[in-house]
Every structure is written in structure tokens, then in C-alpha cells.
Amino acid sequence: DAGITQSPRHKVTETGTPVTLRCHQTENHRYMYWYRQDPGHGLRLIHYSYGVKDTDKGEVSDGYSVSRSKTEDFLLTLESATSSQTSVYFCAISESTVIRQETQYFGPGTRLLVL
Amino acid sequence: GQQVMQIPQYQHVQEGEDFTTYCNSSTTLSNIQWYKQRPGGHPVFLIQLVKSGEVKKQKRLTFQFGEAKKNSSLHITATQTTDVGTYFCAGLNYGGSQGNLIFGKGTKLSVKP
């Protein structure tokens, strides 16, 4: 498995509280992604980064913000958590060193429960 | 926007039976990838198909990419209990944002011993 860790692995929080999830990689890959996974919806892209301080929105970005101050770290923040943000969050990385090869490597995931 | 549809959503088979999952895109794809996620685990890359009509095999798994590069399939011969999990296809279209795969919703496979 690629060197990707996510922290925390599990979190329970209350509605309205801020939450930050961390993704850390040791592969020096350029691209990093945050997905959420919910039953019946598969994997949905929240935000992604294509370099330090370079980020863009995915298909379900409302209520989420991200930051990438170092190549190895990509943070996902829920400014004010809501119950609809209860989900499993996956970080992924990829490196576009070869054209048309965009294989993504996933972290172990963070299970977030918002009460 | 681009969509990737995957069917069936669930498949229950007896051990030893074959299994197939299908993936269809609303647009022509640059490539398609397949991932497997074991229960409680994270998606793991299986294979990538790039060429029109490409067929690749990994032991009992056969992957195909359609001639029009808009559909793909994964076929497992003689399923085993170790095949249990959810199989996702993911399509890449360079007409969109670079590096962003569009995932299908997955097919959850259960295998009865």
C-alpha cells in the first residue's frame, strides 16, 4: 500500500462544531483528493489539490474547505458539521508522471459521525 | 456532466458461479480503471484499460474496454469467498479536469460458500 495515513480514523462530533481531517502522504505525489463514501452514492469527490496551495472543488464541496500548505499534507475542514456530513471520508493521491495514468491510491479512511 | 453508470448494484452468487459487472459512460473515456473495496476497507486499484477494445486478464478476472471507449466490464470466473467486496469502475475523460476520475457507484458482490 502507498504511504498514506489519515487521522483521526474515527470521530464522533456534535452538530455545529468544526472538524478537521488530516491526510498525510510519504510518496511526494502531486495530486491529493478528498472523497466521501455513502451507501448508494459510491465515491464522490469533495475537493482536490494539484499542488501546494492549489486546490479546486469537486462535485460535493458545499460545507467543506481544504488547505494544502505542504506537499505531504491535505486537510479537510467542516466549518460547522451537520448530520448530513456523517460519512466515511477517504483521502487519495496520484502522480501524473505518465500521460493517461491517473491511478489513485487511497488512505484507510475516516469514519465521521455527526450527532 | 459526465456520468458513469454501473450495474448491477448488488450481486449474490454461489461460490463457483461466475460474476460480471458492467460500466457505462455518458461520454467517451480516455481510460477506465477498476478498483476493489473489501468490507471495511479502502478502494484498491486493480487495473487500467486505455485502448479501444482492450482485454486484460488477472487470473480469474477479465477486464474489457468497449470499442467506443464508453463501456467496460469485469468478469470473474468461478467466484471464491475471497472475491467478496465492492467493485468500482472509474472513468477518466481528459475533456474535463485533469486527474479527476468519475467513479461508478459500485457493484457489491457477496459469495455464498
Side-chain angles (χ1 to χ4, degrees), chain A residues 1 31 33 35 37 40-43 45 48 56 90 94 96 99-109 111, chain B residues 9 30-31 33 35 37 40-45 48 50 69 88 92 94 97-101 103-106:
Chain A
D1 285 344
Y31 294 92
Y33 311 81
Y35 291 90
Q37 186 175 39
H41 290 279
L43 290 156
L45 183 65
Y48 68 99
D56 206 349
F90 287 102
S94 70
S96 302
I99 292 175
R100 298 195 298 175
Q101 289 192 1
E102 305 285 350
T103 303
Q104 295 193 7
Y105 301 93
F106 285 81
R111 292 184 177 274
Chain B
Q9 188 174 0
S30 302
N31 67 45
Q33 300 177 14
Y35 293 77
Q37 184 177 21
H42 59 276
V44 175
F45 173 77
Q48 175 176 264
V50 178
K69 300 184 74 173
F88 293 97
L92 181 65
Y94 272 91
S97 301
Q98 183 184 10
N100 290 343
L101 296 177
F103 283 84
K105 293 184 178 181

Side-chain angles (χ1 to χ4, degrees), chain A residues 55-67:
Chain A
T55 65
D56 206 349
K57 296 180 179 180
E59 61 176 310
V60 290
S61 60
D62 287 348
Y64 301 95
S65 62
V66 290
S67 66

